[in-house]
Amino acid sequence: MHLPQRQLGLRIENMVTEYTATARAHSNIAFIKYWGNRDSGIRLPANSSLSMNLAALHSTTSVTWSDALEEDRLLINDEPAVPAALLRVSAHLDTLRAELRSTLHADVSSHNNFPMGAGIASSASAFAALTLAATAALGMRLSERELSLLARRGSGSAARSIPTGFVEWHAGSADKDSYAESIASPDYWPLEDVIAVISRDHKHVGSTMGHATANTSILQRVRVETAADRLLSAIHAILARDFEALAPVVEEDSNLMHAVMMTSKPSLFYWLPKSLRVMLAVQEWRRQGLQVCYTLDAGPNVHCICGAQDAAVVAARLKELDPDIEVIRSAVGGGAQLLTANDRTD
Ligand code: DP6
């Protein structure tokens, strides 16, 4: 049967092809920090880094690729994202489109289960979940290494939110060998991150800008040159479940990164007076016998890494120190997970 031309056109116009998937990834806290890139375009880091995934903090992201869309769309916690966030996600989708040889645009909806304004980084969990959902929606089942490589392009620390538990990101020498892998599962060593939320203010300078200034500090070269030794010490300490060996190296690495930040041009001061109060208290508690050490990312909040048996005491002591400090606790988390993937044609 021959359909009249107009009717045929209408049928084709109404046919929408959509591919959708949802993934979840956890945030992570670095023990050995990523700070500075050798190539910022592809986020090739200056040094290898090491982190622990955070079970209690995650992003859940749905991606729908559709030939009915003329541009990418982004909702964060059900609200339209600010233009800068959409631009960054769209740039990552460009990377994925090139990789997947697709020209489709995407509708992205991401939910963080932790307060966005709490000063806890969401880019790691967000870009890890986005990468897994976006590739799975198009039917790609990539290896963990491939996913980590791709997530890295969206946000460096997202590379470490793909594998499970305790994770090492190999700096590598080029795009294809800069990826993260697990060194131990979440249950290998029951540590907890007890986060002292000191300020909910939005960072004045985000990590991406910060990385770009790292080389203006005369200390960055020394930090990078000595990072491999600290990384090795931290890996040995984790594998031996040796808190006494882990604590000083974690604190030293955090202090070194902040020394670089403070001596960059322009200088970046993320610590607040309260951050230092908590850091000094943590060292005192360790001297008293508690398994606890501190580390800070690009913000004033203090991550108190604890042996699980001491986490409740540390949380209570933080409140005693200052009742205004909000405390968020997290055990070691797993890797990024695909929740649903339905290739669909309406
Ligand atoms: C201080 O991964 O947030 O938290 O690649 O620009 O997204 P982008 O930076 P990001 O940097 C993280 C920096 C850090 C240390 C760390 O997590 O290793």
Side-chain angles (χ1 to χ4, degrees):
M1 193 183 81
H2 289 282
L3 288 168
Q5 200 57 42
R6 268 193 71 219
Q7 210 177 331
L8 191 66
L10 207 70
R11 269 172 61 94
I12 291 169
E13 268 169 32
N14 285 345
M15 204 158 78
V16 174
T17 307
E18 289 188 341
Y19 306 95
T20 186
T22 301
R24 174 171 292 169
H26 298 274
S27 175
N28 68 71
I29 178 68
F31 292 168
I32 303 297
K33 306 293 187 184
Y34 150 51
W35 195 247
N37 284 301
R38 270 176 294 161
D39 182 339
S40 57
I42 58 165
R43 289 186 159 82
L44 191 63
N47 60 279
S48 297
S49 56
L50 182 75
S51 58
M52 149 181 138
N53 283 345
L54 299 175
L57 308 177
H58 54 72
S59 302
T60 307
T61 302
S62 298
V63 175
T64 302
W65 298 100
S66 166
D67 61 5
L69 290 171
E70 283 173 10
E71 55 190 15
D72 298 319
R73 295 196 304 214
L74 173 63
L75 293 179
I76 300 179
N77 293 344
D78 299 319
E79 300 281 341
V82 296
L86 173 61
L87 222 61
R88 185 168 175 185
V89 161
S90 216
H92 190 52
L93 292 171
D94 284 342
T95 302
L96 300 179
R97 275 186 277 264
E99 203 67 28
L100 305 171
R101 291 184 181 77
S102 167
T103 53
L104 298 176
H105 286 99
D107 213 335
V108 178
S109 176
S110 192
H111 288 92
N112 296 312
N113 77 331
F114 49 102
M116 283 279 286
I120 300 164
S122 56
S123 70
S125 52
F127 280 91
L130 173 65
T131 304
L132 178 53
T135 53
L138 285 183
M140 307 283 291
R141 297 294 181 265
L142 301 180
S143 68
E144 183 179 282
R145 175 177 171 158
E146 289 167 323
L147 282 169
S148 176
L149 279 167
L150 280 175
R152 188 201 83 228
R153 302 276 300 269
S155 172
S157 53
R160 297 190 311 240
S161 281
I162 296 287
T164 188
F166 298 89
V167 176
E168 178 183 2
W169 171 11
H170 306 286
S173 57
D175 182 40
K176 291 298 168 213
D177 62 357
S178 186
Y179 66 97
E181 66 183 335
S182 180
I183 62 156
S185 62
D187 58 1
Y188 183 80
W189 192 11
L191 295 183
E192 256 197 49
D193 185 4
V194 178
I195 309 169
V197 180
I198 282 167
S199 167
R200 291 172 152 270
D201 286 353
H202 204 70
K203 299 188 248 204
H204 52 290
V205 178
S207 308
T208 306
M209 295 258 284
H211 289 296
T213 67
N215 278 333
T216 64
S217 164
I218 54 171
L219 303 181
Q220 171 72 347
R221 188 177 52 81
V222 183
R223 190 194 70 82
V224 169
E225 274 172 15
T226 54
D229 287 344
R230 287 188 300 282
L231 181 85
L232 216 58
S233 304
I235 290 175
H236 283 149
I238 289 169
L239 295 181
R241 301 183 185 90
D242 182 346
F243 200 89
E244 266 178 54
L246 183 67
V249 75
V250 168
E251 291 186 353
E252 183 188 4
D253 195 82
S254 172
N255 293 346
L256 274 166
M257 179 182 73
H258 284 271
V260 167
M261 292 162 161
M262 289 175 197
T263 52
S264 291
K265 296 167 192 69
S267 59
L268 295 172
F269 281 83
Y270 288 109
W271 295 357
L272 291 175
K274 265 190 201 177
S275 318
L276 190 57
R277 249 184 96 202
V278 171
M279 290 155 73
L280 293 174
V282 162
Q283 290 193 324
E284 177 54 28
W285 300 336
R286 190 158 76 251
R287 276 191 290 274
Q288 293 169 1
L290 291 180
Q291 283 193 346
V292 58
C293 65
Y294 66 76
T295 184
L296 288 84
D297 279 346
N301 300 327
V302 184
H303 294 253
C304 303
I305 309 299
C306 303
Q309 73 287 354
D310 290 337
V313 179
V314 168
R317 288 206 182 174
L318 286 168
K319 281 285 186 195
E320 277 166 31
L321 196 70
D322 185 337
D324 289 343
I325 292 177
E326 187 194 338
V327 174
I328 298 175
R329 289 175 58 177
S330 178
V332 189
Q337 275 175 289
L338 189 60
L339 301 183
T340 58
N342 307 307
D343 304 355
R344 191 175 81 212
T345 302
D346 294 337

